[in-house]
Amino acid sequence: MPRIAEVRAPAEPSSPEQRARHVRILRAAARIGAEKGLDRVQMQEVAKAAGVAIATLYRYFPSKTHLFTAVMAEHVDRFGDGVGRPRPGTSPEDAVAEVLVLASRQFLRRPALALAMLTSANVANAAAVADAGRIDARFRQIVLRSLGIDDPTVMDITLVRLLMQCWYGVLQSTLNGRMSIPDAESDIRIACRLLLAPRSNAATG
């Protein structure tokens, strides 16, 4: 299991050149992680593939936990940018289910990378790994947008958090071979209907 190697805060890219270097590192890590899985990824290999010095890699990502949590954050950002409006006539909870099923399919296309991202994000301490909080905030935004909730209540936030924890667990079980993909998608749809029923904009009888 990956560990946080250093206490210091990672550097943030502040120029176009640094941002380009940062993106190259994330892309190299994703490619190598998809081929080898988290345990076999070597930071030196990632640095070489990205064309950066190993010191540069560690300046941005002090550990593999930092690195693959950042890879997941970038993945979630790109996914969120591509999520369109729900189909007409789709209930809000079913709209969220469609989004999470689509996200699951994208993750499961590269199972070794998905497991590397989930493992890293699950062990990341938000105080040490800022991208862990970024993932949570972005997913919350995606789900609330799909629900059509602009001003969420405390209960709305709680329900979304519970749903995301459930989704992570379903993905983990699927990646570990404990659940088939059809069963996973069915469970996601059921979880959305059950957990989102008490939301603030739910229809009342």
Side-chain angles (χ1 to χ4, degrees):
M1 183 173 290
R3 295 178 298 175
I4 306 299
E6 300 182 25
V7 176
R8 66 171 180 80
E12 289 291 334
S14 57
S15 69
E17 180 181 359
Q18 290 174 351
R19 178 58 187 163
R21 189 181 300 129
H22 196 267
V23 169
R24 288 204 311 273
I25 292 170
L26 293 177
R27 289 178 178 172
R31 184 172 64 254
I32 295 169
E35 294 169 357
K36 296 188 172 185
L38 184 62
D39 290 343
R40 294 175 56 211
V41 172
Q42 299 295 320
M43 296 292 269
Q44 181 66 55
E45 183 180 13
V46 174
K48 182 178 179 181
V52 302
I54 187 67
T56 299
L57 174 61
Y58 276 115
R59 186 163 69 248
Y60 291 126
F61 308 105
S63 71
K64 284 197 286 186
T65 294
H66 286 85
L67 179 58
F68 281 94
T69 301
V71 171
M72 182 167 174
E74 287 287 307
H75 182 96
V76 171
D77 277 345
R78 289 196 306 272
F79 174 78
D81 290 342
V83 172
R85 297 178 65 84
R87 289 175 294 151
T90 305
S91 69
E93 59 269 31
D94 285 344
V96 172
E98 292 296 332
V99 168
L100 293 184
V101 165
L102 178 60
S104 301
R105 291 173 180 172
Q106 290 193 10
F107 268 79
L108 295 172
R109 284 175 190 159
R110 295 189 288 178
L113 177 59
L115 193 55
M117 292 190 294
L118 285 173
T119 300
S120 297
N122 283 339
V123 301
N125 185 308
V129 186
D131 283 316
R134 178 179 153 204
I135 291 167
D136 294 342
R138 187 65 163 125
F139 261 127
R140 182 167 60 246
Q141 179 191 56
I142 292 168
V143 172
L144 289 171
R145 186 176 65 200
S146 297
L147 286 171
I149 296 176
D150 296 322
D151 186 20
T153 64
V154 172
M155 177 58 75
D156 290 333
I157 298 298
T158 299
L159 294 173
V160 172
R161 182 170 61 245
L162 289 171
L163 178 61
M164 297 318 303
Q165 290 169 353
C166 177
W167 182 67
Y168 285 147
V170 169
L171 272 187
Q172 194 82 44
S173 293
T174 307
L175 289 164
N176 290 343
R178 296 180 179 179
M179 183 182 297
S180 69
I181 292 177
D183 283 347
E185 293 185 0
S186 176
D187 283 7
I188 289 168
R189 295 181 192 280
I190 291 170
C192 287
R193 290 170 188 149
L194 292 174
L195 286 171
L196 299 177
R199 69 187 186 278
S200 62
N201 68 345
T204 58

